[in-house]
Amino acid sequence: MRRSTALATLALTAAALVGGTALPAQAAERPTGAATASPAAPASALPAAQAKSVTVKVAMDQLGAGNRIADALRGIKTDDRGKFVQEAVNKAFDAAGGRHNVMLMNLSQNYQERLQGKRLYANVQWGNIYYGLWIAESGAFTNQGDGGWINWGFKGWFDRDGGHVRFHRSW
């Protein structure tokens, strides 16, 4: 095998396994009993509908809107990860009544959460990516990882300085 072909094969193999290498970090945040593909299986081996399905497990709900929010998120149909995050934040904000701050964060990224007046927390799985969804009155959140739309999104009353967001009450 020629050297350039071998390097290309290694690069493609590594790219196919990237999702698998991130799974151990995500596993700590994954809801118990969640069905997942084998870490060694490339994402392309999964059926398209399964790879992009949305699963929501509400762990804490003081708003009484958990089912409404979960149904809204399950209704998102897109192959675009950034678009999913944007739609999820908007739908969660609306379904929660538009009065609270919303944060959605890829749980495989490093972050620091210091939210006050938490009203809802849910684990959200989109394909093989695990997100945390917080709905809160105020507080701070720092993204210590990649800040792109594919990894986090938020809506509400806030001041942002790079990866640090300070949320304020709406009232």
Side-chain angles (χ1 to χ4, degrees), residues 11-81:
L12 288 173
T13 302
L17 295 176
V18 165
T21 60
L23 284 177
Q26 295 168 346
E29 302 293 340
R30 183 178 306 143
T32 312
T36 61
S38 165
S44 60
L46 299 173
Q50 180 184 355
K52 305 302 180 203
S53 67
V54 179
T55 304
V56 181
K57 306 262 188 215
V58 177
M60 189 263 293
D61 180 10
Q62 294 180 353
L63 285 175
N67 289 334
R68 189 169 52 248
I69 292 168
D71 289 344
L73 298 182
R74 286 186 202 109
I76 299 172
K77 306 292 182 211
T78 183
D79 295 3
D80 183 306
R81 195 166 139 193

Side-chain angles (χ1 to χ4, degrees), residues 103 112-116 138-142 164-167:
M103 170 59 70
Q112 185 177 35
E113 178 269 313
R114 293 171 309 214
L115 299 171
Q116 284 98 40
S138 61
F141 196 98
T142 303
H164 181 75
V165 180
R166 172 140 322 267
F167 290 103

Side-chain angles (χ1 to χ4, degrees), residues 131-157:
Y131 294 92
L133 173 70
W134 292 266
I135 297 179
E137 291 179 5
S138 61
F141 196 98
T142 303
N143 179 352
Q144 299 166 334
D146 181 359
W149 271 112
I150 64 171
N151 289 316
W152 77 328
F154 45 91
K155 186 170 182 173
W157 297 264

